[in-house]
Amino acid sequence: MLFSDEFRVVELNPDSKKFERVNRLVCTGSAAGAANVATDLILDINCEIFEVKQDDSLSVALMSSLDGKPDAGEYVPYVEGEGSVLDDYDYAMHGLVFDVQHDEGQRVAVTASFGGLLMKITGEQNQLDQLQNDMSLYVLVKQMQ
């Protein structure tokens, strides 16, 4: 696992809804790093298959593979009941990191695309240092009760 945190949805579609089936979530992480600055997350989701409301709590994990092994670059179909990490989450996407920006201080912003759905995560460099340009990435999301 490259990163994991719990987030609260603080805003839904801040610039109005652009696409019928997509919601943009603006979230703030619960765990503050060494500088006591929470991680921020902007995440596009398919709202027809994963419904999220403002003030919902989400558990979000970023992984380079689903089985803990390096990604071989081959499609492996998900088979329900075979004990995959996907069984622990409600929503998953696979994509590619396309931008890593180092801000002032020890902050970094990482942007990834999941078939056109975007994610931007901003946090402390020591929390996100494993995320690199052009790397394959899974984002896994679970609604917290």
Side-chain angles (χ1 to χ4, degrees), residues 2 22 43 83 92 115 144:
L2 303 172
V22 177
L43 181 65
M144 305 300 291

Side-chain angles (χ1 to χ4, degrees), residues 107-121:
R107 304 272 294 167
V108 63
V110 178
T111 308
S113 177
F114 304 90
L117 298 176
L118 301 178
M119 176 195 76
K120 181 176 183 181
I121 186 165

